[in-house]
Amino acid sequence: MSDFAAAPGDPFGTAQLRDTTLRSWRESPTRLIEDTNVERDLRVGAYRDRLFVELAQNAADAAMAGGAPGRVRVSLVDSELRFANTGAPLDARGVASLASLRASGKTGGTVGRFGVGFAAVRTVSDEPRVLSTSGGVAFSAARTREAAGIDGDVPVLRLPWPAPAEVPAGFDTEVRLPLRDGVDGARLLDELAEDAGDLLLALPWLAEFEVDGRVWTRGADGDVVEIRGPVTKTRWLVHRGDVVWAVPVKDDGTPEPLEEDVLRAPTPTDDGLSLPARLLASVPVEPSRRRVLPGAELTEALERAAKEYVGLVRLLPAEHRFALVPRPGFPKSTVDAKLRDEVLATLSSEPWLSTQDGAEVSGRQARVLDVDVPGLPALLADLVPGLLKGSAPAQSLKAVSAQVIGIEEVLETLTGVAKDPGWWRELYAALAIAVESHALAGERLDGLPVPLSDGRTLPGARGSLLVEGSTELLELLSDVDIPGLRLVHPAASHPLLERLGAKHADARELLNSDQLREAVERSVEDVRSGLDGTTLAGAVLRLIADCGDDAPRWAGALALPGTDTWRRADELVLPASPLLDIFDEEVFEEDGALDVLDEDFAGDWPQSTLEAAGVLDSFAVVVDDEPHEPDHDLPDEEAWWDSLPEPPSTLVAIRDLDLVADDAWPAALRLLAARPGTWHALRTPLGHAAWWIAQYAVLEGAAPNEWRLPDADLAGLYDEIPDVGLNEDLLEIAGVRANLDLSNVDEVADLLDRLADPARTVSPGLATRAYAAVVESGMEPEAPRAVRAADGSVVDDALVLDVPWVAGALEPGQYVVAPEDPERLADLLDLPLASGAPAEVTSEGEYAPWAELPALKLVADQLGIRLPDGGVLVHDPLTVRIEGAEHDVQWWSDDRLHAADTSEGLARAFAWAAGRWPDRHLITALLDDPSPRTLLA
């Protein structure tokens, strides 16, 4: 109901309103001045730029009153700005409110509070009109001055006049504003176009806003309000309670926090805000609606608004909620400072943060990593209570009292944690991304735990080994326990560990590691003490296989299963090895030197790999590039070492020769010759293998060096080797004699014993060669019981012939011939030298100078021999007493040279004196027949 009586043509009673106002001006001239000043203040102050906000509020109120979402159309027609809207039409109360600068006709839940906002039209027009389906009303500066009877400035909105109701089709009300000169209507429309979307968001009863043909619409889907404009659309996530909080979101729901805004009550005020979201709240404001009114009511309103802020935050997915934490910075206003503090306090105390275990906690209960490592929080869910889900911004969350955890604290938490290796690899993968992006310095991960293959955890990657190799190898190493060998568990291996100090180790590096060697060398002891050797055996064999079946010598100590127990690999023989038929049966008895490798185990590995580990299929070769002493477990090694003129520069030998059965040596030798390694070892000069076989092998009941080859000129000293199915080359290499080469003192002693054996028939020449071989050997055997004389007989006592003239005075059975170094032979045989035997010339002789012997002068001339100085005592006959008996001899030498007066005697004496001893027989012949035919024949 209107408070004013309506006259025909004046449905809103404007005449009475004018009369009342004019009367008040006449009765109190100061009232006119007051109204004029108030309207001027509103026009140039409070509502100077709020034209469309105020009109939009009135349109929203009308739509709410009409009970249907409203539409607004704004246009410019002949310099007249028109603002049409749907909703409840204008009524008398509304007209009274329009005509009052101090009272409002709005009630209930309408947006406005004072109704004076219509004064904003005065900023652009002196002749505003409001036309509605229920009637129209006009205001006019000129008519007001005329009615008031004054010139100059007047309060235009105090005197309304009826106006024809010319409302455009489809609308219920239209405000028409003829623009004053100087007002740019097009610019006004553009300004409105910029604010249209915000107005639709702030005024929920408005559904459409059209500005000069450009249309904006408002739609809602749950908590999302979508504002569609002619070019773009804007989506807002909205939480409604006592206040409205809204934040722009993308189509996928990702928030786009505001950089700055103003408090809206619910239309914009001048109080700036720096919160990420927009606040629309009924707070106490000044009549101008530009500023809030400070006081207890405002404080309570802001506290309520802050408590509802968390509601907006919870509408967002957990990973996007952090975007609504207010950023640090200077507040935009007093209201902003208070509201920020209250919002942060609410976020600190109310649950809104999602943790890894699915709970929601307040900021004060939350824990957040100081670095953004995607994927890391999920891995730490059960280790760090309250750890936030997703990539939580630590610096922002400090503002809501969240506890920021440094990566160092995480490492402390991880220390001692039992997790499967795959979990650790995921952890390293997450940390690696942060390190590579420089979000996290690698130095901060020095204490990062590393699971090892033996089940231990290493506090830091430095010193650990990243295994490279086949999948089978990695699986084997994952179960092996090698103290001191820090093998990263294969399932946890990751490149990050190398960056943190771990080293890559391929199969060869692992195989040559000191720790593995120690484990292998004690493996037999470990197994016999009750430990399982299967994993270590498998790992080492796999390493050997990955190294191309190349293994260090100590791999032979690896414990492997035998027939009855575990043995060293180099004490085991393959189940199908030919050695089983060559070695003595006792070798394979319990506690014997060797055992047979378990057949099932042997079937799991290539034969080449088992052999590389030391398991025997044939004889094993021992190689040492720097031998210093006899410590290679070779039979009689020290004796062989002592027999050498000097230590070998490289030792190449064959082990286990002493295990061959006596009757299996032909087969053993054939096996040795069939394998390149053993064949080379057999042929090594001064090598142990040939030395030992020659003395200790058995061929037809005797050592090889006790036999001779069929073609060897050693008959009498050595028997011919029977047919044992071996060719001569192999027999010779095995030590069967082709000559009198002597390699050790035992062979020298054996030869001397054979020479002293009267049962043997030895030719004089062979005996002489044999004694020469004894001298050349350089060995020091014991003196023999007897010797072989020059005539081939065996005697207990004899002289060692060291000068040729004594031979003419003795029987061949009285002396031993020594072609070289007779003093050395006499010492070895413990016999006197012939030159030391007591002897004297008993016959008289006549001295003759060489130059006075014509026959000798002729011979010397024929042979081109210079006559020596001096001469010779010529005897006829020449008699010498030696060994207690007198003997006629051809020549002799003591202090002087003696010769029998014969061609033979003179020739020998002359040849000795002239230094032409090898020509003695030619000289003899020429003395008997000095013709050229003798010389030439």
Side-chain angles (χ1 to χ4, degrees):
M1 297 293 293
S2 173
D3 293 333
F4 305 100
D10 186 11
F12 303 124
T14 60
Q16 185 175 354
L17 290 174
R18 289 195 304 276
D19 290 343
T20 301
T21 300
L22 289 171
R23 186 171 52 252
S24 68
W25 288 349
R26 287 192 297 270
E27 293 174 356
S28 177
T30 58
R31 180 62 181 271
L32 173 62
I33 297 173
E34 290 176 0
D35 287 349
T36 300
N37 290 339
V38 169
E39 185 175 287
R40 181 189 303 110
D41 289 343
L42 293 175
R43 182 180 78 244
V44 302
Y47 292 96
R48 64 183 178 277
D49 55 0
R50 295 180 60 84
L51 171 64
F52 295 119
V53 171
E54 296 300 331
L55 294 179
Q57 283 187 170
N58 292 336
D61 291 340
M64 182 175 66
R71 292 187 302 114
V72 172
R73 183 178 72 186
V74 182
S75 58
L76 186 64
V77 180
D78 297 330
S79 297
E80 183 177 74
L81 187 67
R82 297 181 178 182
F83 193 101
N85 64 270
T86 62
L90 185 66
D91 60 13
R93 184 179 293 274
V95 172
S97 178
L98 291 174
S100 172
L101 295 178
R102 297 178 178 83
S104 173
K106 297 182 180 182
T107 59
T110 55
V111 176
R113 187 172 179 189
F114 297 103
V116 295
F118 187 71
V121 300
R122 290 285 289 118
T123 62
V124 297
S125 179
D126 293 332
E127 308 290 330
R129 288 172 291 163
V130 180
L131 311 178
S132 186
T133 56
S134 57
V137 63
F139 299 92
S140 171
R143 294 173 73 177
T144 299
R145 281 193 288 271
E146 181 181 353
I150 62 174
D151 292 326
D153 199 6
V154 293
V156 174
L157 298 182
R158 292 291 281 136
L159 301 179
W161 281 271
E166 302 174 355
V167 181
F171 292 90
D172 297 305
T173 303
E174 184 175 57
V175 177
R176 296 185 178 183
L177 303 174
L179 300 177
R180 285 197 304 270
D181 293 340
V183 177
D184 188 343
R187 184 178 64 81
L188 288 175
L189 293 178
D190 290 340
E191 291 176 354
L192 174 57
E194 292 178 2
D195 296 336
D198 288 343
L199 291 172
L200 286 176
L201 175 67
L203 303 170
W205 275 99
L206 293 183
E208 180 180 292
F209 221 116
E210 179 183 347
V211 180
D212 195 25
R214 293 168 286 181
V215 178
W216 285 260
T217 61
R218 183 185 198 278
D221 181 10
D223 296 314
V224 176
V225 173
E226 182 174 275
I227 309 296
R228 287 186 173 271
V231 178
T232 61
K233 70 174 181 179
T234 305
R235 293 168 60 85
W236 293 78
L237 181 66
V238 178
H239 175 269
R240 296 185 182 279
D242 289 341
V243 300
V244 174
W245 284 102
V247 63
V249 294
K250 297 180 181 179
D251 289 343
D252 62 359
T254 303
E256 297 181 292
L258 299 175
E259 295 291 335
E260 59 180 315
D261 200 11
V262 294
L263 174 65
R264 296 169 190 264
T267 52
T269 68
D270 286 347
D271 290 298
L273 296 180
S274 60
L275 295 173
R278 174 167 293 175
L279 173 62
L280 298 95
S282 295
V283 296
V285 293
E286 296 174 349
S288 66
R289 302 187 61 78
R290 286 189 171 276
R291 296 285 181 183
V292 297
L293 286 173
E297 184 179 355
L298 174 63
T299 299
E300 292 176 4
L302 294 180
E303 290 176 353
R304 288 196 304 272
K307 290 186 180 301
E308 292 193 16
Y309 187 81
V310 73
L312 174 66
V313 174
R314 288 199 190 107
L315 292 179
L316 286 169
E319 65 271 20
H320 295 317
R321 295 177 180 178
F322 312 119
L324 295 191
V325 176
R327 297 181 181 86
F330 293 106
K332 301 290 185 181
S333 63
T334 304
V335 173
D336 186 35
K338 175 63 176 176
L339 189 57
R340 280 168 54 87
D341 290 344
E342 293 296 334
V343 165
L344 291 174
T346 298
L347 295 178
S348 297
S349 59
E350 295 294 325
W352 61 279
L353 291 164
S354 295
T355 63
Q356 290 296 329
D357 55 9
E360 281 198 351
V361 296
S362 66
R364 193 171 289 112
Q365 296 169 320
R367 304 174 84 180
V368 59
L369 300 177
D370 68 345
V371 291
D372 183 10
V373 182
L376 180 60
L379 293 169
L380 303 176
D382 59 338
L383 302 176
V384 183
L387 186 62
L388 297 185
K389 188 176 183 180
S391 299
Q395 294 304 315
S396 297
L397 292 176
K398 281 184 178 180
V400 295
S401 304
Q403 180 182 350
V404 179
I405 302 173
I407 198 67
E408 292 79 9
E409 295 177 71
V410 172
L411 298 186
E412 290 181 10
T413 301
L414 293 176
T415 301
V417 169
K419 291 286 187 179
D420 64 82
W423 182 89
W424 289 103
R425 181 178 176 82
E426 290 183 35
L427 176 70
Y428 303 150
L431 292 172
I433 295 174
V435 172
E436 290 168 3
S437 65
H438 304 290
L440 176 64
E443 294 77 11
R444 297 182 66 189
L445 298 176
D446 282 346
L448 180 63
V450 178
L452 303 182
S453 61
D454 59 8
R456 295 176 297 142
T457 300
L458 190 66
R462 198 170 305 280
S464 64
L465 296 176
L466 297 169
V467 181
E468 298 175 350
S470 63
T471 301
E472 182 181 357
L473 172 62
L474 300 182
E475 291 176 353
L476 288 168
L477 289 175
S478 66
D479 297 325
V480 74
D481 181 7
I482 304 174
L485 190 61
R486 298 173 173 180
L487 299 179
V488 177
H489 196 290
S493 179
H494 190 277
L496 174 68
L497 299 180
E498 182 180 10
R499 185 164 184 168
L500 299 180
K503 301 295 183 183
H504 277 283
D506 59 16
R508 188 167 302 281
E509 289 170 320
L510 290 175
L511 191 58
N512 289 311
S513 66
D514 293 338
Q515 296 88 347
L516 184 61
R517 176 175 183 171
E518 293 172 4
V520 168
E521 289 178 342
R522 67 169 181 272
S523 59
V524 172
E525 180 183 349
D526 288 344
V527 170
R528 291 178 178 174
S529 66
L531 298 179
D532 182 12
T534 305
T535 54
L536 179 63
V540 173
L541 291 176
R542 186 70 262 171
L543 287 172
I544 292 173
D546 285 1
C547 289
D549 294 332
D550 182 19
R553 188 186 311 155
W554 49 259
L558 178 65
L560 295 178
T563 304
D564 299 317
T565 185
W566 286 63
R567 301 282 291 265
R568 290 171 56 104
D570 56 12
E571 294 179 356
L572 293 168
V573 177
L574 291 173
S577 170
L579 294 177
L580 295 175
D581 298 324
I582 291 175
F583 286 165
D584 193 300
E585 292 181 357
E586 293 182 358
V587 169
F588 300 103
E589 293 180 356
E590 187 175 357
D591 297 328
L594 299 176
D595 195 1
V596 180
L597 182 66
D598 179 80
E599 189 169 357
D600 291 336
F601 187 89
D604 293 337
W605 295 96
Q607 180 174 325
S608 59
T609 300
L610 294 171
E611 288 187 57
V615 181
L616 302 176
D617 180 56
S618 181
F619 288 93
V621 175
V622 177
V623 179
D624 187 351
D625 293 329
E626 296 181 0
H628 298 295
E629 56 184 76
D631 59 352
H632 304 88
D633 295 326
L634 301 173
D636 301 290
E637 185 177 0
E638 290 191 10
W640 165 72
W641 194 277
D642 293 339
S643 74
L644 299 174
E646 60 183 20
S649 59
T650 299
L651 182 144
V652 181
I654 301 172
R655 49 165 276 204
D656 300 328
L657 295 173
D658 54 336
L659 304 183
V660 177
D662 289 346
D663 59 353
W665 270 106
L669 289 170
R670 284 191 290 272
L671 181 60
L672 289 168
R675 306 293 174 95
T678 51
W679 178 242
H680 171 66
L682 273 178
R683 301 179 64 187
T684 299
L686 300 178
H688 172 272
W691 174 86
W692 195 91
I693 291 174
Q695 297 182 87
Y696 300 107
V698 179
L699 295 176
E700 291 296 324
N705 65 3
E706 296 181 18
W707 298 106
R708 66 175 174 85
L709 296 176
D711 295 335
D713 187 14
L714 302 174
L717 278 178
Y718 298 96
D719 296 334
E720 181 179 339
I721 181 73
D723 184 7
V724 292
L726 304 174
N727 61 48
E728 287 195 11
D729 288 341
L730 183 53
L731 289 172
E732 184 175 355
I733 290 174
V736 177
R737 295 195 174 277
N739 50 48
L740 288 172
D741 289 344
L742 304 171
S743 61
N744 58 73
V745 69
D746 291 337
E747 290 188 0
V748 175
D750 177 67
L751 178 56
L752 292 175
D753 287 343
R754 288 171 181 273
L755 289 168
D757 184 0
R760 294 182 177 277
T761 301
V762 180
S763 69
L766 179 56
T768 300
R769 295 196 304 276
Y771 282 127
V774 170
V775 172
E776 291 173 1
S777 73
M779 307 293 178
E780 297 284 347
E782 292 185 4
R785 63 184 183 279
V787 296
R788 184 76 58 168
D791 63 355
S793 63
V794 176
V795 296
D796 293 335
D797 190 22
L799 298 173
V800 176
L801 189 64
D802 60 336
V803 290
W805 55 84
V806 178
L810 299 175
E811 296 298 327
Q814 293 180 288
Y815 58 84
V816 176
V817 177
E820 300 289 342
D821 199 357
E823 292 84 358
R824 168 72 175 156
L825 181 61
D827 184 56
L828 291 173
L829 300 181
D830 196 18
L831 295 177
L833 290 169
S835 61
E840 64 176 330
V841 177
T842 59
S843 61
E844 294 292 332
E846 182 178 352
Y847 177 76
W850 296 115
E852 295 179 4
L853 297 172
L856 280 172
K857 287 179 63 178
L858 179 59
V859 171
D861 181 60
Q862 286 179 296
L863 296 177
I865 300 174
R866 181 179 176 275
L867 289 174
D869 295 335
V872 64
L873 289 171
V874 180
H875 298 256
D876 186 20
L878 175 58
T879 304
V880 177
R881 179 181 289 113
I882 186 172
E883 294 289 314
E886 288 190 351
H887 300 273
D888 289 339
V889 299
Q890 293 296 321
W891 75 293
W892 197 265
S893 178
D894 45 25
D895 294 335
R896 295 179 294 176
L897 194 61
H898 304 265
D901 190 10
T902 62
S903 298
E904 184 178 355
L906 289 170
R908 280 164 170 70
F910 178 73
W912 187 264
R916 298 292 289 267
W917 182 249
D919 294 328
R920 62 191 182 278
H921 301 296
L922 178 57
I923 295 171
T924 299
L926 287 172
L927 287 175
D928 289 337
D929 182 7
S931 66
R933 181 176 58 187
T934 302
L935 176 63
L936 297 175

